[in-house]
Amino acid sequence: MFDFPLYLKQLTAGEPVNNPFLDFLQIKVEAVEKGYARFSMDIRPEFLQGAGIMQGGLGIALSSEAAAHAVMSTLAPGENLTTIELKNNFLSMASKGRLTAEATVFKRGRTLVFVDTTVKDDTGKYISKSSATLMVIPPKTD
């Protein structure tokens, strides 16, 4: 069983955690509070597609990670989570600078959690908005 409270405590304290995906994209954790997460990442040259614009899936990945961590902050001991749906609207393109994703739990039910996330560039311009539905998986009873 994964210990989400310990993971979040270590992550927000800047301690090493086992999350190779965050490391791979060099996503920085800026804040995680109950029902909220703010993550950021620099747009690196290898993130650009042929027209010099960041490939959109990378922004969605940033949004998805922020949303998942916002939900993690609401889990009870033994609960787990999985994303079951994520809808994204691209509002503008980005090619340089830093992107910041802010995710807020809109509604948490017993099984489903609804999360809204915005991604902005370092000038404050909206790059995308996403809505995600995550499922809470209850602890296993043996």
Side-chain angles (χ1 to χ4, degrees), residues 6-25:
L6 177 61
Y7 165 79
L8 290 176
K9 180 180 176 185
Q10 293 171 328
L11 186 69
T12 57
E15 297 175 17
V17 295
N18 184 23
N19 192 325
F21 191 70
L22 293 182
D23 295 339
F24 177 68
L25 291 181

